[in-house]
Amino acid sequence: MQTIKIKDLSFKPFIAEDELQGLIKNVAQKINNDYNGKTPLFIGILNGSFMFMGDLMKSIDLECLVSFVKLASYEGTETTGKVNKLIGLNESLEGQDVIIVEDIVDTGNTLEKLHQIIQEKKPNSVKIATLLFKPDPYKKNFKIDYIAKEIPNAFVVGYGLDYDGFGRNLPSIYVLNQ
Ligand code: 5GP
């Protein structure tokens, strides 16, 4: 792996594909244990969570449901804090055990909004699984149940995460060269 360029910015290798896959298998194992005998509904947040969800699901051995929703909240390299409407949630959540699947939790604004909307739909339980978590900028109190990896407060791309729409297809994660 070497330094890459996306538009005007340069990024260096940060989390290799092998490491990512191992981290995701660990999360899947915990979920398999915690939800033994249950039928959870996994809700992925588009666009960023599509790769994580794909690989996570390959190691989930529960009978389960998978769905995706969309929230637009981020532009460029800074979290705006603005969160738009939730699009695409058609199924009833009443009585469901819901697991929200996120690519990355930064300030927690996106997650908080989503959590509120989902709680209003009266699920039996709601847990959160995220590939990456930045403890420094995180401003909320609610618990993040499954974290594949904690990272420093830096801008990352790849494996679903973009810079200005690009870089989502990279199989590993890169960090901005400062
Ligand atoms: P939050 O609302 O927690 O501040 O931000 C969550 C969303 O911001 C993520 O779902 C992601 O789309 C975006 N985001 C936060 N940090 C990064 C980052 O380092 N890289 C990229 N590409 N997106 C990020």
Side-chain angles (χ1 to χ4, degrees):
M1 288 209 298
Q2 53 199 0
T3 299
I4 55 159
K5 205 159 186 261
I6 303 177
K7 301 190 112 181
D8 54 322
L9 297 181
S10 148
F11 295 85
K12 62 184 178 206
F14 185 52
I15 311 172
E17 199 175 346
D18 284 1
E19 187 187 345
L20 273 179
Q21 295 303 328
L23 293 166
I24 293 164
K25 284 203 171 83
N26 290 343
V27 169
Q29 211 162 23
K30 286 187 193 133
I31 295 175
N32 285 334
N33 289 336
D34 292 353
Y35 287 82
N36 188 16
K38 296 186 174 164
T39 310
L41 164 62
F42 291 84
I43 302 181
I45 316 306
L46 291 173
N47 294 329
S49 73
F50 76 98
M51 275 217 193
F52 176 37
M53 180 74 101
D55 283 334
L56 182 70
M57 283 306 111
K58 291 179 206 167
S59 300
I60 292 290
D61 54 26
L62 305 162
E63 191 179 287
C64 64
L65 299 165
V66 183
S67 189
F68 286 92
V69 296
K70 192 158 186 169
L71 278 167
S73 70
Y74 207 82
E75 267 183 32
T77 60
E78 271 179 275
T79 302
T80 61
K82 277 186 207 148
V83 176
N84 296 336
K85 247 182 92 180
L86 180 62
I87 309 162
L89 189 63
N90 303 319
E91 45 273 273
S92 163
L93 300 188
E94 209 169 323
Q96 275 286 1
D97 293 306
V98 171
I99 304 172
I100 298 173
V101 178
E102 261 280 25
D103 51 356
I104 186 164
V105 177
D106 186 302
T107 62
N109 288 333
T110 309
L111 212 48
E112 183 180 59
K113 183 76 183 163
L114 186 77
H115 203 261
Q116 270 170 12
I117 299 170
I118 288 179
Q119 283 291 8
E120 282 164 15
K121 298 184 185 295
K122 302 187 172 40
N124 183 49
S125 67
V126 183
K127 284 195 180 182
I128 297 156
T130 187
L131 179 68
L132 303 176
F133 175 58
K134 296 182 188 173
D136 290 349
Y138 189 63
K139 295 197 214 97
K140 309 294 172 189
N141 289 322
F142 61 92
K143 191 179 164 215
I144 300 175
D145 306 276
Y146 306 102
I147 297 170
K149 192 176 173 76
E150 288 193 3
I151 63 164
N153 191 9
F155 187 75
V156 293
V157 294
Y159 199 76
L161 290 151
D162 74 308
Y163 166 51
D164 210 11
F166 291 92
R168 294 193 196 277
N169 54 317
L170 295 163
S172 62
I173 293 186
Y174 291 76
V175 66
L176 183 63
N177 256 329
Q178 303 274 15

